[in-house]
């Protein structure tokens, strides 16, 4: 694949890559994570096998980069749920945006592996096989993670049903846009 074709394919993945980065990292770090993954993909373009799934290849780069950064930053503070909740948006129905913020907040309570699998399969629309390739595990493992994530997400939302919603700095009008960006970013990986 020549550089121009590779660049065109890579540019198409930017929204998906950003969405994936936002779904696995703090908002303050997600943009940098997505940009670094794009740079790494560009530098490693010679190792890309034309005809293979470029989206999965770039998502794997981003995921591996995120895992490396997480291993190095074990001393840093944990993700602030209020900041994470502020990354979601809904468009028309004011209650839909609040519910979307609740779902985003609940997703952040899931273990990383479950959250990642659910975002890639559910929001990004990847197949179990594509997700397994990105996560470097068996397809059955991804199916299990998605199933457990869905079950736990429903349980979390049910427990929160009668509780007051957490305060958030993200306007409800941006909740849907943020969720879709996260899913798109996960897809490009």
């Amino acid at each position: 694949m020549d550089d121009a074709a590779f660049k065109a394919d890579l540019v198409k993945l930017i929204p998906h890559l950003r969405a994936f980065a936002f779904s696995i990292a703090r908002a303050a770090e997600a943009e940098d994570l997505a940009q670094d993954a794009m740079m790494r993909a560009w530098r490693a373009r010679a190792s890309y096998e034309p005809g293979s799934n470029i989206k999965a290849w770039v998502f794997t780069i981003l995921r591996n980069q995120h895992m490396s950064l997480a291993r190095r930053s074990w001393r840093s503070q944990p993700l602030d749920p209020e900041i994470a909740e502020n990354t979601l948006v809904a468009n028309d129905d004011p209650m839909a945006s609040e519910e979307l913020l609740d779902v985003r907040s609940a997703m952040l309570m899931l273990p990383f592996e479950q959250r990642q699998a659910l975002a890639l399969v559910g929001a990004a629309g990847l197949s179990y096989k594509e997700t397994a390739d990105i996560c470097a595990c068996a397809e059955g493992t991804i199916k299990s993670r998605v199933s457990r994530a869905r079950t736990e997400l429903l349980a979390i939302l049910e427990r929160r049903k009668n509780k007051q919603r957490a305060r958030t700095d993200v306007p409800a009008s941006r909740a849907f846009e943020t969720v879709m960006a996260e899913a798109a970013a996960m897809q490009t990986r």
Side-chain angles (χ1 to χ4, degrees), residues 2-3 10 38 60 72 81 83 92 111 118 126 161 165 173:
D2 67 358
D3 284 353
L10 199 57
M38 292 290 287
T60 301
R72 280 187 235 134
I83 292 172
D92 297 331
L118 184 61
L126 294 178
K161 200 174 198 177
R165 284 190 174 88
S173 62

Side-chain angles (χ1 to χ4, degrees), residues 64-134:
N64 291 344
Q65 181 182 354
H66 174 68
M67 299 303 277
S68 293
L69 292 172
R71 280 191 295 272
R72 280 187 235 134
S73 65
W74 61 272
R75 294 180 199 166
S76 67
Q77 295 179 347
L79 176 66
D80 181 2
E82 289 184 15
I83 292 172
E85 287 177 350
N86 292 331
T87 62
L88 299 181
V89 200
N91 292 330
D92 297 331
D93 181 11
M95 283 310 294
S97 61
E98 293 295 324
E99 291 169 358
L100 192 54
L101 288 173
D102 287 346
V103 169
R104 174 67 172 117
S105 173
M107 281 189 70
L108 291 173
M109 297 176 72
L110 297 173
F112 173 77
E113 291 82 9
Q114 289 180 13
R115 184 173 70 240
Q116 180 185 39
L118 184 61
L120 288 171
V121 170
L126 294 178
S127 70
Y128 289 116
K129 181 169 181 4
E130 290 171 321
T131 302
D133 291 343
I134 291 168

Side-chain angles (χ1 to χ4, degrees), residues 10-78:
L10 199 57
V11 167
K12 290 177 189 173
L13 297 177
I14 290 173
H16 302 284
L17 194 61
R18 289 182 67 225
F20 183 53
F22 273 95
S23 69
I24 64 173
R26 291 188 294 167
E29 299 165 354
E31 230 15 89
D32 290 339
L33 184 63
Q35 288 177 10
D36 288 346
M38 292 290 287
M39 294 290 290
R40 288 174 189 256
W42 179 255
R43 285 193 300 256
R45 67 188 177 277
S47 67
Y48 173 71
E49 295 179 28
S52 63
N53 187 341
I54 191 170
K55 190 179 205 180
W57 184 72
V58 177
F59 268 47
T60 301
I61 291 171
L62 188 142
R63 179 183 177 275
N64 291 344
Q65 181 182 354
H66 174 68
M67 299 303 277
S68 293
L69 292 172
R71 280 191 295 272
R72 280 187 235 134
S73 65
W74 61 272
R75 294 180 199 166
S76 67
Q77 295 179 347

